[in-house]
Amino acid sequence: MDLSILLVHGLSLAAIYGLMAIGISLLWSSIGMINMAHGASFAVAGYAAWGAAEVAKPLILATLGKTLSGTIAMAGVCLSAGALSGAIMGGLIYLLAFLPIHDKPNFAVRSLIVTLAINMATVQTLLWVFGPKQKNLPKIFGMGRIEFLGLSARYDQLGTIIGTTVILGLLLFWLKVSRKGLEIRAMMQNPEGAVLSAISVRWTALPVTMLTGALAGLASVLLSQTIFVSPTSGAVPLIKGLTIALLGGLGSVPGAVAGAVIIGFLEAIIGALPFLGQRYVLFGTFLFIIAVLIIRPRGIGGLLDKARK
């Protein structure tokens, strides 16, 4: 077992899972909604990035050629298309699954059902429009490996780790310093107190759903560097994101980050063990999550409930 390969593979998995899990946790802690359509946002963003790349590729090749500038331009096109389409899906989820029912009884259950319906309808629509054939995105980080301080990493793995770190850093900075970010944090810490302080749940929910949709879109582009885009490509990331959010303590962003790192490295280790391998990755991961939740039902970072009390 090569420890350098294990470290890089674990970090790249943790980066992608973290984007999904943080989006789910952020939405739950701020507006109390579990978004089962997060996988639909993931799949739609993948197709949007593929479509944008197909349109932009001839133009970029004609103007910049196969140079570093061309690679950067293609990366910008794919990431922008993924984030924008994910944000639009987030806005659609806000209009269909939050705005009409957020003040109705059993909102959490109702929104769960509505978002599940959105997810299924989106998958069927993608199947109808694009068919079951898979699409592949261009390698926005290039192809090859880099050696650094004894570590060997593929370009896409290094790009995923650095890109996710930058994205999460910007997200935390925005939540900390912007007025809307402060309102979202207030709702995460004490929803009733935030409402009494004249913070509108209705208008705070829109940027939250769009933001979490954009995170799903970015995760889609980054993960699609190693897997193909398909109508059902969001199913596994949705399940992984939900379980990691539960492991980290639903509603806890630091817990989601910790959960993503743990699961990323756990999958890398199980996949590298010769007597287990990739066949047992899902089994081993869910077994670990179940064991943790039996011992600590509130998850790793289950401090939010205590803070609210």
Side-chain angles (χ1 to χ4, degrees):
M1 183 185 299
D2 190 326
L3 291 180
S4 66
I5 294 177
L6 191 68
L7 176 65
V8 174
H9 185 48
L11 282 176
S12 63
L13 287 176
I16 295 167
Y17 294 160
L19 286 177
M20 293 295 287
I22 288 172
I24 292 170
S25 274
L26 197 62
L27 203 60
W28 168 256
S29 59
S30 56
I31 60 176
M33 183 169 77
I34 294 180
N35 183 11
M36 296 300 290
H38 214 53
S41 300
F42 185 97
V44 168
Y47 276 103
W50 170 78
E54 289 292 305
V55 173
K57 190 174 181 179
L59 182 61
I60 292 175
L61 283 176
T63 54
L64 300 174
K66 294 182 178 181
T67 60
L68 178 61
S69 301
T71 303
I72 293 173
M74 185 59 74
V77 168
C78 290
L79 290 171
S80 301
L84 180 61
S85 57
I88 293 172
M89 272 297 292
L92 184 64
I93 291 166
Y94 168 83
L95 292 174
L96 296 176
F98 177 81
L99 197 58
I101 59 174
H102 76 94
D103 53 352
K104 300 290 191 296
N106 297 322
F107 164 68
V109 178
R110 289 174 185 234
S111 62
L112 187 73
I113 295 170
V114 175
T115 53
L116 184 59
I118 294 173
N119 188 70
M120 295 172 67
T122 304
V123 170
Q124 292 302 315
T125 303
L126 291 175
L127 272 172
W128 179 67
V129 175
F130 297 102
K133 190 176 179 180
Q134 298 173 327
K135 314 290 184 186
N136 61 321
L137 290 183
K139 302 295 182 186
I140 60 175
F141 300 113
M143 296 181 68
R145 304 187 74 89
I146 186 170
E147 306 285 340
F148 181 70
L149 296 176
L151 298 177
S152 176
R154 296 196 314 266
Y155 290 166
D156 63 294
Q157 291 175 318
L158 195 62
T160 298
I161 295 168
I162 295 174
T164 303
T165 305
V166 172
I167 290 165
L168 293 183
L170 292 174
L171 171 65
L172 294 176
F173 181 74
W174 179 76
L175 286 173
K176 188 173 183 180
V177 303
S178 70
R179 179 174 179 81
K180 189 56 71 178
L182 291 173
E183 291 179 359
I184 293 172
R185 286 171 57 205
M187 289 184 61
M188 291 171 65
Q189 293 172 2
N190 191 326
E192 295 177 359
V195 172
L196 292 174
S197 302
I199 295 175
S200 170
V201 176
R202 175 173 295 187
W203 293 113
T204 304
L206 178 59
V208 173
T209 53
M210 295 185 72
L211 177 64
T212 55
L215 290 178
L218 291 170
S220 175
V221 175
L222 294 175
L223 188 59
S224 297
Q225 297 300 299
T226 53
I227 67 169
F228 295 106
V229 176
S230 73
T232 56
S233 60
V236 173
L238 170 64
I239 295 171
K240 291 284 181 67
L242 274 173
T243 50
I244 289 172
L246 288 170
L247 174 67
L250 197 56
S252 170
V253 173
V257 174
V261 172
I262 292 171
I263 295 302
F265 278 102
L266 183 64
E267 287 194 4
I269 292 170
I270 294 175
L273 291 175
F275 57 92
L276 291 177
Q278 292 296 328
R279 290 177 301 170
Y280 292 95
V281 165
L282 278 178
F283 176 76
T285 301
F286 287 120
L287 193 65
F288 173 78
I289 292 173
I290 291 169
V292 171
L293 292 179
I294 289 174
I295 298 169
R296 187 178 170 82
R298 288 190 304 173
I300 297 170
L303 300 176
L304 186 65
D305 292 339
K306 189 183 292 183
R308 282 178 168 174
K309 289 176 182 177

